[in-house]
DNA sequence: TATTGTTATACTCTATAACTATA
DNA sequence: TATAGTTATAGAGTATAACAATA
């Protein structure tokens, strides 16, 4: 009895399934490669963003990363405790905190980036190099567009469909 | 103060970030489009797989869909309660159950598939049509390959890196 | 002995609500 | 009044462990 997972019938072309498979594969590798780093692969994303520029605010960063601002608080607590990142009061608005990488954080970033690149390569390894480039380019364009997408509008009728047939 | 989310500095080319953005966007749209369906977008995946062929077993289907076999039990309970899917004892092995779509489930599938296609189109709308095709084709090849991927092997050194700098 | 499916439990992750301090 | 950040709490989702039935 082999353990090899084939695509379920009828789902090979489903965006949800294909995206899910690839995303989970990435998560698995990214997690394996960031053990010990507070926040795992997301701790890396915060650190990377904080190292290249000081994000405008915690909640702005949270939104960019697709997580809740309350989760960001805990994440930053952990990253600050390990001295990889600092919260700095914004000079212009005393409510806001800038997130900046410490020297230590920046020092760790290169190694981390290399590890994540390894995870990335691992996930993309099924494609020849030129196709990897194409895929990444398209995905990046999509991400730039999709981050501010509202869910599709029309979304009410199915409840009736199901309940209608359930009763008698 | 605009609400438009730009890519965080240094993450525009990160596979984890781009994949996450697109996957979350899909999830949002797919969820909106499947309200009322037990299990939401995953209920659809089970139903679709059950309608085209009877999956060999619950746990095989769970693995294909990237969820735990215990979660599959609850999912099928809900889908069976709404009479969209049935569990049938496998003739060859009395431990195993085949998952088959009911007439009602198959009847609902076309409408559901159209809704999911709408969600999919919404997420991909940022790309011209030919690029959408290219992207989907590459993603499908990747998914066929990545579903059986083990996490990247080397994954131990970072704990030391961090603890080393934390202690003294 | 190993595997399928189920159940109960525990754990993790995430979101909600309420609060402080600013604006 | 509205917003940034924090905290506590509740909730959803997921995994773990133990079990019965079967192989």
């Amino acid at each position: 009895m082999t353990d090899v997972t084939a695509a379920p019938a009828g789902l090979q072309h489903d965006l949800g399934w294909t995206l899910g498979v690839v995303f989970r594969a990435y998560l698995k590798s990214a997690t394996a490669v960031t053990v010990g780093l507070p926040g795992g692969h997301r701790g890396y994303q915060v650190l990377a963003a904080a190292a290249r520029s000081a994000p405008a605010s915690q909640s702005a960063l949270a939104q960019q990363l697709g997580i809740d601002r309350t989760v960001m608080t805990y994440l930053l607590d952990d990253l600050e405790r390990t001295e990889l990142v600092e919260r700095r009061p914004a000079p212009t608005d005393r409510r806001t905190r800038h997130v900046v990488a410490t020297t230590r954080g920046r020092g760790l970033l290169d190694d981390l980036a290399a590890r994540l690149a390894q995870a990335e390569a691992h996930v993309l390894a099924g494609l020849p190099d030129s196709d990897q480039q194409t895929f990444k380019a398209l995905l990046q364009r999509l991400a730039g567009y999709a981050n501010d997408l509202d869910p599709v509008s029309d979304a009410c009728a199915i409840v009736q469909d199901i309940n209608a047939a359930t009763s008698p």
Side-chain angles (χ1 to χ4, degrees), chain A:
Chain A
M1 190 151 284
T2 48
D3 204 26
V4 174
T5 311
L11 256 44
Q12 311 91 331
H13 304 113
D14 185 271
L15 183 67
W17 182 76
T18 50
L19 219 40
V21 166
V22 175
F23 189 58
R24 282 190 296 272
Y26 176 82
L27 241 44
K28 209 174 14 168
S29 286
T31 302
V33 129
T34 52
V35 274
L37 177 70
H41 78 283
R42 257 180 348 194
Y44 164 76
Q45 291 183 352
V46 170
L47 183 58
R52 326 281 182 167
S53 78
S57 71
Q58 296 184 191
S59 39
L61 183 57
Q63 194 185 359
Q64 289 167 345
L65 263 37
I67 64 182
D68 196 85
R69 66 186 179 132
T70 64
V71 176
M72 181 58 72
T73 297
Y74 307 131
L75 233 179
L76 289 176
D77 285 349
D78 295 342
L79 288 168
E80 217 169 24
R81 203 170 298 127
T82 40
E83 290 168 39
L84 297 171
V85 142
E86 272 181 11
R87 285 183 250 227
R88 295 243 187 94
T92 57
D93 185 335
R94 284 198 294 179
R95 295 172 301 181
T96 318
R97 309 293 174 97
H98 290 165
V99 183
V100 304
T102 63
T103 309
R104 192 158 120 63
R106 281 193 304 278
L108 206 62
L109 193 58
D110 281 351
D111 177 50
L112 275 168
R115 289 167 173 277
L116 268 306
Q118 207 185 331
E120 178 172 322
H122 191 242
V123 172
L124 298 177
L127 254 35
D129 210 77
S130 65
D131 285 339
Q132 293 190 15
Q133 301 309 318
T134 307
F135 177 76
K136 281 166 64 175
L138 291 173
L139 184 64
Q140 281 157 28
R141 280 168 60 199
L142 224 36
Y145 169 87
N147 206 16
D148 284 305
L149 217 53
D150 287 317
V152 78
S153 47
D154 150 46
C156 305
I158 212 178
V159 195
Q160 283 133 20
D161 290 359
I162 289 167
N163 292 350
T166 306
S167 30

